Amino acid sequence: MSSSSPKLQIDPYERGWMYFSLGLLAAFAIAITVAGLAMGIQLPGFEQRVDPRTVDTDPNSPWSKPGLREVVPGKEYDAYILAQIWRYSVSEQPAQKELEVPLGATVTFYITSKDVQHGFLLQNTNLNVQVVPGQVAKLTYTFNQAGRYDFICHEYCGTGHAAMFATVVVK
Ligand code: CUA
């Protein structure tokens, strides 16, 4: 009987796959580092906190007068959108469900909720974010194709959830 510890036997295939997995982890780590540092790709981060109890009534809150603001006429807009059960406020007229911008406009959306968690998914774009009460989501998109872009709530928020949508109209 030998007193030396037995040598660990690893099947060559298994060894190959272990190296492959380690290689993948290294590749992913490099890809994330390059995307974040060199290409500037970032997750949506902290923008602003608001008080959901007063966000629609405080006269200093832009969501007390939701809707479009022209930053550069015909080119750049800010859109303040307030999500609530069960609609998006996109203007001071509660019944209005459309935001109209010209073709080529760059729109920065500032979205928050005054009650429960909602979602914001702008169809045919890559804009998709959770809308959390107290937090402001900021997203920017340039509309280079005319048409109607519906945005829908994709977080279940109660019985009216399925009817919660509004539209960006690009002319
Ligand atoms: Cu709002 Cu679902």
Side-chain angles (χ1 to χ4, degrees):
M1 271 218 278
S2 159
S3 62
S4 66
S5 56
K7 195 162 186 287
L8 183 63
Q9 292 296 323
I10 302 179
D11 183 89
Y13 277 115
E14 192 170 1
R15 186 189 304 275
W17 282 109
M18 286 165 70
Y19 284 131
F20 178 70
S21 327
L22 288 174
L24 272 186
L25 286 178
F28 292 154
I30 290 167
I32 289 173
T33 307
V34 170
L37 298 182
M39 299 169 71
I41 296 174
Q42 302 285 333
L43 287 171
F46 176 77
E47 170 60 25
Q48 189 188 337
R49 268 181 196 283
V50 290
D51 185 341
R53 292 164 299 185
T54 57
V55 70
D56 61 337
T57 50
D58 180 352
N60 294 320
S61 158
W63 293 270
S64 65
K65 292 188 171 74
L68 278 179
R69 317 273 197 272
E70 209 169 38
V71 181
V72 178
K75 285 202 158 58
E76 263 179 54
Y77 297 82
D78 287 343
Y80 287 88
I81 297 176
L82 184 67
Q84 55 192 292
I85 44 179
W86 287 286
R87 62 191 174 87
Y88 294 103
S89 295
V90 300
S91 112
E92 290 177 68
Q93 318 307 330
Q96 187 173 331
K97 297 187 85 172
E98 291 181 357
L99 292 168
E100 206 177 291
V101 297
L103 185 62
T106 297
V107 181
T108 302
F109 297 90
Y110 294 88
I111 313 159
T112 189
S113 164
K114 74 167 203 172
D115 40 46
V116 300
Q117 183 166 320
H118 297 278
F120 177 92
L121 186 153
L122 189 60
Q123 289 179 331
N124 301 322
T125 72
N126 62 352
L127 302 199
N128 180 346
V129 75
Q130 288 184 316
V131 181
V132 180
Q135 305 268 6
V136 177
K138 179 184 175 187
L139 300 164
T140 301
Y141 192 77
T142 300
F143 293 92
N144 287 322
Q145 276 199 309
R148 298 176 62 84
Y149 298 71
D150 291 331
F151 47 95
I152 58 172
C153 181
H154 60 65
E155 293 281 342
Y156 183 71
C157 54
T159 53
H161 162 72
M164 186 167 169
F165 75 97
T167 308
V168 179
V169 181
V170 182
K171 295 220 160 157

